[in-house]
Amino acid sequence: MPLDLRRVSRFRSGSSVVFVAFSCFVGPVVAAAQEVVGVAACARIAEAASRLACYDKEAGRPLDELPVPPAPGEPGPAPPLANPPATTTLPSLSVPAGGGLKAPDATSVDRPAQLAREALDERRSLGSNLADRWELEDNYDRGRFVLRPYKPMFVLLADWTSNPNQLPTSPNPLNVATTSQRLTSTEAKYQISFKTKAIKGMIAGNGDLWLGYTQQSFWQIYNAAESRPFRETNYEPEVMAVFRTNYSIFGWQGRIAALSLNHQSNGYDQPLSRSWNRIIAEFGFERKDWTLTLRPWWRIPESAESDDNPDIKDYNGRMEMLLVRQSAGHEWSLIARHSLRGGNRSHGSAQLGYAWPISSYLKGYVQVFSGYGSSLLDYNHRQTRIGLGISLVQWL
């Protein structure tokens, strides 16, 4: 612990007072005699500095603070300046009418720092969601190659569907199932998702390169007749370049712009294989406790022979909107996708999520989905799903 000189000075002064008081009570006569003799001896010293040192000693001043008298022939200490230079003064103590001293206002001592803290608090209250999620400011930076949550991580202990996809199909004849899967209407579903920053400040200090991975699995845990198999697992690795932005539109603050290369597949052989590759743009906005993300994408074309799902854009969509509201530990989310086409090519989906705190980081979670594309194998299969479970991480 560093030495506090003010505390040492107060301790020494206080010890001298206690000693004098004790001496007065024990031997007032002896103390008085010693004081008279000591002061008288100091008065007989001719040299001023030595006489002052004697007085200080008799007064109980610590020895290490006593002035050292100059050697014979050396000049004494310089006299005080007639016009000392101006110095910075501390805020003065005010004496209220009722008596007593009043300490100076802390904000008057360091007002700029106080304003900076208030501005930071305001930015955090309005923009901490995306700033924290993507480390847009230095105070959120956690370094490179540190695993962080990406998309929500949850387990739906029961996920019920109105229409199990017993016989998946595709316009490619090689991807049409011929044997029924004999699925139950209720299964379990879980998702894990991580990301890590690989490169920081790619262009003029702005722009970070992120690596992301998301995995979503559907488990027929209640299907004892089929030995409780995993029905499907979707794997989604991606590379993302995320840039910090600062603009406002219709009251929404633009925080990020990103461009990513995304691959998604289920790892099956024919005829159940499903996959596609996309280039995704992303724009993130915030307004109070709301966060809005728009993600249009372009599918990288594949040859007709190798395309497992030629019409996936007309079902899984060409654009996604994510709207999230967070308040007091509760989080509401809406994910809406659409094909951006009309007529018989107009398809999409909507997913509602609600998470509420249970204890610490654990939350209860309910998810409702309706439309196309609940999984890759179900990209062109319409259904409604309702799931209930727990969540460790949500969007924000």
Side-chain angles (χ1 to χ4, degrees):
M1 179 181 295
L3 183 60
D4 191 336
L5 294 180
R6 292 173 295 180
R7 293 186 179 178
V8 172
S9 178
R10 289 195 297 269
F11 174 77
R12 289 175 173 174
S13 300
S15 299
S16 300
V17 173
V18 172
F19 176 78
V20 172
F22 178 78
S23 300
C24 290
F25 282 107
V26 175
V29 177
V30 175
Q34 290 176 342
E35 181 179 357
V36 171
V37 172
V39 172
C42 293
R44 289 194 296 269
I45 299 175
E47 203 280 320
S50 299
R51 185 171 61 252
L52 178 59
C54 181
Y55 283 132
D56 288 340
K57 182 178 179 181
E58 292 300 325
R61 187 174 180 181
L63 295 178
D64 55 358
E65 294 183 8
L66 295 180
V68 178
E74 292 185 359
L81 296 177
N83 296 312
T87 58
T88 302
T89 59
L90 295 175
S92 60
L93 297 176
S94 59
V95 181
L101 296 177
K102 180 181 179 181
D105 187 1
T107 58
S108 66
V109 178
D110 197 359
R111 185 60 176 168
Q114 177 69 17
L115 293 176
R117 286 192 295 270
E118 292 176 356
L120 178 60
D121 291 341
E122 182 179 1
R123 288 200 306 272
R124 285 177 171 174
S125 65
L126 297 178
S128 64
N129 292 330
L130 289 177
D132 181 33
R133 184 181 175 194
W134 292 106
E135 302 181 8
L136 301 180
E137 300 175 7
D138 289 340
N139 57 307
Y140 292 110
D141 187 20
R142 293 166 175 83
R144 298 184 301 128
F145 299 109
V146 176
L147 284 181
R148 295 204 59 201
Y150 179 20
K151 298 178 182 179
M153 290 192 282
F154 59 82
V155 176
L156 298 181
L157 303 175
D159 190 25
W160 172 85
T161 177
S162 63
N163 184 20
N165 189 9
Q166 308 282 7
L167 209 62
T169 63
S170 168
N172 189 335
L174 298 177
N175 296 88
V176 177
T178 57
T179 303
S180 175
Q181 298 189 75
R182 291 181 294 184
L183 304 175
T184 58
S185 298
T186 303
E187 60 187 3
K189 173 184 174 182
Y190 69 83
Q191 177 173 287
I192 59 175
S193 185
F194 299 96
K195 67 178 185 290
T196 185
K197 180 166 54 180
I199 301 177
K200 175 179 173 60
M202 295 185 298
I203 302 176
N206 191 5
D208 302 330
L209 187 69
W210 291 81
L211 308 177
Y213 176 76
T214 302
Q215 178 176 315
Q216 190 175 100
S217 295
F218 303 82
W219 185 9
Q220 287 272 297
I221 191 173
Y222 306 108
N223 191 350
E226 297 295 323
S227 299
R228 311 181 194 278
F230 275 85
R231 177 174 66 87
E232 184 184 10
T233 295
N234 295 164
Y235 309 94
E236 189 176 0
E238 55 188 315
V239 179
M240 302 159 283
V242 181
F243 297 87
R244 179 179 62 256
T245 61
N246 185 18
Y247 62 93
S248 181
I249 179 171
F250 301 118
W252 290 83
Q253 188 69 29
R255 296 292 184 185
I256 67 165
L259 193 66
S260 63
L261 176 61
N262 179 286
H263 168 80
Q264 190 177 28
S265 62
N266 62 4
Y268 276 139
D269 295 328
Q270 305 292 9
L272 300 181
S273 175
R274 301 288 187 271
S275 66
W276 62 334
N277 300 298
R278 294 173 289 170
I279 296 177
I280 304 176
E282 183 171 339
F283 306 93
F285 305 87
E286 290 181 327
R287 183 175 182 177
K288 295 183 179 179
D289 51 359
W290 293 87
T291 301
L292 173 65
T293 303
L294 302 178
R295 302 176 74 227
W297 56 71
W298 174 72
R299 185 193 178 188
I300 299 176
E302 300 180 35
S303 64
E305 295 79 11
S306 62
D307 195 343
D308 299 329
N309 26 250
D311 57 347
I312 191 172
K313 295 181 295 185
D314 290 339
Y315 291 93
N316 270 27
R318 293 174 173 84
M319 182 175 181
E320 176 182 275
M321 180 196 74
L322 169 64
L323 183 65
V324 181
R325 181 178 185 267
Q326 188 180 60
S327 177
H330 297 255
E331 183 174 297
W332 298 262
S333 63
L334 167 65
I335 302 176
R337 297 195 300 259
H338 199 268
S339 63
L340 303 181
R341 297 293 186 271
N344 59 1
R345 300 176 65 188
S346 176
H347 305 101
S349 65
Q351 177 179 292
L352 294 172
Y354 170 57
W356 66 95
I358 296 178
S359 64
S360 186
Y361 290 99
L362 186 65
K363 294 185 177 183
Y365 183 53
V366 61
Q367 185 183 93
V368 179
F369 175 91
S370 181
Y372 296 87
S374 66
S375 73
L376 280 179
L377 204 55
D378 297 339
Y379 82 92
N380 58 357
H381 182 77
R382 183 179 180 86
Q383 59 187 309
T384 297
R385 304 179 67 96
I386 302 175
L388 178 64
I390 57 176
S391 171
L392 296 176
V393 176
Q394 280 297 304
W395 288 103
L396 304 176

